[in-house]
């Protein structure tokens, strides 16, 4: 017997029934929620991660469960999926409204109080402004460090990892959701150089995951009747909807949300999912719009006029000449260079933080965030004081220019340290303002030149530095808005230059600011299609589409020349083993056997002694074990058993038997079927928590009814590149490498798979074996 001993991959006899490659099936029942949070959001390590199981484990339990399902199960399942898409849209939309409402109101109170006080004393005004910011940032960092460590950062690298097949513990917990929402309010309201858009993507994903698991069991907020989507496959679909909803809510860009999920986060896609994601994004758009309409009448305090990103620059430059393409391409190059530099600097700083700073504990993290808040407040208050004010243009209803009245509160242009009422301070207009208003100002496409080059350069240098330093602090932080602000500043600078150079053309600086924003995001995040659509949706100007496409392509190409995109770099730094869309070149010259050279496969015999199973689980950290059976023809692999299933069996003890011979199926009525149908994750369960007596350790366990009888198998000489593609496209967790089989029992072609379809369309949604 092979109990608990290292064992080479057995001969492939009997493997013919195991699939070489299989069509992806639609569904499976899967892992429960993550139950543990990482101790420190920064210190995520590979050990804190585990792969997800997207595979359908077609064991006896699965088949039995399929047989027990009533005929109403299928419509119920499909209906619930759509209902959940709706709920995710509503939930994310409401969360976005809440965050925006809180941020706008906090900012509104802060600026109103500060502007009222500086009429009497600038020093006291500065003090109040700084303390207000400090209090908000402190609340944010305190929540994150003490309550929800996984809420730090944007969360996009972790969600990207999740949708790539890696579960980082703690990222989708209820407390992470709460931490993300309240933390974002503090960090964004506190004026740090970061945005709320990335965190909203994470918020949408958390809402989706929590809904999918029927609420939070830990906080007794769960409901059994909706707990139908516990499989990793279903949760992945819901989380994809959540991500799209997050972007749709953050930018009020529903199509951009769908494309963001498709291009940036998920590695896996299918048309049914596309429809649901589309539906969720549309729901978000409706929810957000309803709230905006309601709030516009002044019911929501400072929220309404300036809340939510929508920078409608229609009325600006509607056409472009070919001469402008060159400066626009230059904007793309600058975006690529500055974006790549941003990625590199943030990578170094994050590494340094992890190695030297954050290891010292929560207090250091809190102190760091508060210090950055003080520096940010000082820079944003003091630098505008050094600028001279400019007179407002003649108030012209068509120009849309809103010079401050009353000074500095609501208007886009801020009257700050100006001697006259009808003057504005251009640096304060972008520095001493809410982010959304600042961007609206930078994008504004009006007939006069609102900003001096000196102010724009000052802002660019200072804000870029602040954004780099702020990235990686222990607060929820998105990079979209800082990226847009940085990009629109140098875009506008280029625009000013072009206006001077091509005097005869109708050129708007605001248009160049928009292109600059797109170029920086393209250069840093390396998104193209989704970003392009998001930019068009938020500016409401379709005519600029070709220009945005141009700068995005240039900036991405330039950025790619230097390093990887921001999220990929950060994911790698956090130890998330992301599988890129393409295998490395070297894999073409390697085969499957090379990838597992010198590996001694740890197998379990079909009927194992309990003591041997315990020993294998104690001495190995692996989550899957091949199961072998000894027959007349020698030894053959009969499937794969998951660690989590072994733990369930050891804990339940009901299948222990005295006999070392197979007992066959029929034992399942003693179990909760779902424990074996779901490829339940072993998170939260440990072999050390299971206590067995001496007698129990001497008994036997037949693993056959619980194993996955058809795991994916590849021949040892298949190229590693091909294995890679298979692994990634099917979202696999384990793949067996076997010797070349000696005979073929059949051959399947496309035509063999075109079976007579049941007329019911909804069947396509279901696991292959259930239809
Ligand atoms: P995941 O961590 O993705 O959930 P896993 O825990 O089953 O999967 P790991 O233990 O993390 O797998 O894999 C680490 C290394 O051990 C890999 O090189 C893998 O090929 C190898 N490995 C995994 N399972 C076994 C096994 N049963 N016997 C021998 N080597 C294994």
């Amino acid at each position: 017997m092979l109990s608990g001993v290292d064992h080479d991959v057995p001969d492939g006899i009997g493997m013919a029934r195991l699939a070489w490659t299989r069509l992806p099936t639609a569904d499976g029942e899967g892992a429960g929620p993550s139950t543990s949070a990482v101790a420190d959001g920064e210190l995520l390590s590979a050990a804190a991660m585990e792969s997800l199981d997207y595979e359908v484990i077609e064991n006896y339990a699965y088949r039995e469960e399929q047989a027990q399902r009533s005929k109403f199960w299928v419509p119920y399942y499909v209906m619930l999926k759509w209902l959940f898409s709706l709920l995710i849209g509503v939930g994310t939309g409401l969360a976005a409204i809440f965050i925006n409402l809180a941020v706008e109101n906090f900012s509104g109170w802060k600026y109103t109080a500060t502007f009222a006080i500086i009429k009497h004393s600038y020093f006291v005004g500065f003090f109040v402004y700084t303390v207000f910011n400090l209090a908000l940032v402190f609340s944010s960092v305190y929540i994150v460090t003490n309550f929800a460590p996984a809420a730090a950062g944007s969360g996009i690298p972790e969600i990207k990892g999740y949708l790539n097949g890696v579960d980082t513990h703690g990222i989708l917990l209820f407390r992470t959701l709460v931490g993300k929402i309240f933390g974002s309010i503090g960090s964004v309201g506190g004026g740090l150089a970061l945005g709320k858009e990335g965190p909203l993507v994470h918020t949408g994903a958390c809402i989706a995951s929590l809904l999918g698991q029927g609420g939070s069991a830990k906080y007794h907020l769960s409901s059994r009747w909706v707990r139908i989507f516990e499989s990793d496959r279903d949760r992945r679909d819901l989380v994809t909807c959540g991500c799209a909803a997050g972007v749709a809510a953050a930018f009020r860009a529903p199509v951009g949300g769908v494309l963001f999920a498709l291009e940036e986060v998920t590695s896996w896609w299918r048309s049914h999912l596309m429809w649901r994601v589309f539906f969720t994004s549309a729901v978000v758009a409706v929810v957000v719009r309803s709230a905006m309409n309601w709030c516009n009448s002044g019911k929501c305090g400072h929220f309404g006029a300036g809340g939510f990103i929508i920078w409608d620059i229609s009325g600006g430059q509607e056409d472009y000449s070919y001469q402008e393409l060159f400066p626009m391409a230059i904007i793309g190059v600058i975006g690529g260079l500055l974006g790549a530099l941003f990625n590199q600097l943030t990578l170094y700083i994050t590494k340094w933080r992890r190695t030297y700073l954050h290891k010292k504990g929560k207090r250091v993290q809190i102190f760091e965030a508060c210090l950055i808040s003080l520096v940010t407040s000082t820079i944003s208050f003091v630098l505008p004081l050094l600028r001279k004010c400019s007179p407002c243009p003649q108030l012209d209803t068509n120009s849309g220019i809103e010079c401050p009245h009353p000074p500095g509160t609501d208007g886009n242009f801020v009257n700050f340290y100006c001697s006259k009422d009808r003057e504005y301070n251009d640096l304060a207009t972008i520095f001493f303002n809410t982010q959304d208003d600042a961007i609206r100002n930078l994008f504004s496409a009006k007939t006069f030149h609102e900003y001096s080059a000196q102010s724009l350069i000052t802002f660019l240098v200072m804000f870029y530095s602040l954004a780099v330093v702020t990235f990686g602090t222990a607060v929820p932080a998105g990079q979209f808005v800082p990226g847009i602000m940085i990009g629109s500043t140098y875009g506008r600078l280029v625009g000013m230059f072009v206006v001077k150079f091509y005097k005869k053309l109708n050129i708007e600086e605001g248009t160049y600011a928009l292109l600059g924003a797109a170029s920086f995001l393209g250069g840093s995040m390396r998104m193209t299609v989704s970003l392009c659509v998001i930019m068009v949706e938020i500016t409401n100007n379709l005519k600029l589409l070709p220009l945005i496409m141009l700068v995005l392509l240039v900036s991405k190409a330039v950025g790619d020349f230097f390093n990887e995109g921001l999220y990929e770099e950060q994911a790698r730094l956090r130890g998330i083993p992301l599988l890129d869309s393409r295998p490395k070149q070297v894999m073409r010259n390697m085969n499957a056997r090379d990838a597992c050279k010198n590996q001694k496969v740890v197998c379990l015999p079909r009927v194992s002694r309990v003591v041997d199973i315990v020993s294998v689980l104690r001495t190995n950290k692996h989550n899957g074990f091949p199961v072998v059976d000894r027959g007349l023809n020698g030894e053959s692999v009969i499937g794969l058993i998951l660690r989590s299933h072994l733990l369930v069996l050891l804990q339940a003890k009901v299948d222990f038997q005295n006999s070392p011979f197979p007992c066959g199926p029929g034992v399942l009525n003693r179990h909760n079927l779902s424990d074996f149908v779901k490829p339940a994750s072993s998170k939260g369960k440990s072999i050390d928590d299971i206590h067995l007596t001496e007698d129990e350790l001497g008994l036997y366990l037949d693993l056959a009814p619980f194993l996955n009888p058809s795991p994916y198998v590849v021949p040892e000489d298949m190229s590693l590149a091909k294995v890679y593609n298979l692994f990634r496209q099917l979202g696999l967790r384990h793949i067996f490498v076997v010797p070349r089989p000696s005979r073929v029992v059949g051959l399947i072609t496309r035509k063999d798979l075109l079976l007579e379809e049941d007329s019911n369309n909804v069947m396509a949604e279901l696991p292959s074996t259930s239809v």
Side-chain angles (χ1 to χ4, degrees), residues 6-7 46 49-53 165-166 577 595-596 599-604 616 620-626 640-643 682 727 732-736:
D6 289 346
H7 197 267
M49 292 165 208
E50 198 171 286
S51 293
L52 296 162
D53 265 299
V166 189
C596 42
Q599 195 181 73
K600 287 282 182 192
V601 182
V602 184
C603 298
L604 284 168
V616 165
N620 295 282
K621 293 272 173 250
H622 308 314
N623 284 305
F625 303 93
L640 176 119
I641 186 105
L642 290 176
R643 165 182 285 267
S682 58
F727 205 91
L732 301 184
R733 187 179 190 183
H734 300 103
I735 209 161
F736 286 178

Side-chain angles (χ1 to χ4, degrees), residues 386-388 426-427 451-461 493 496:
L386 310 176
R387 289 288 309 153
K388 269 203 236 151
D426 63 347
L427 191 54
Y451 302 97
S452 65
Q454 202 184 351
S455 291
L456 290 177
I457 292 171
T458 310
F459 179 77
L460 177 62
V461 173
L493 273 167
M496 288 169 74

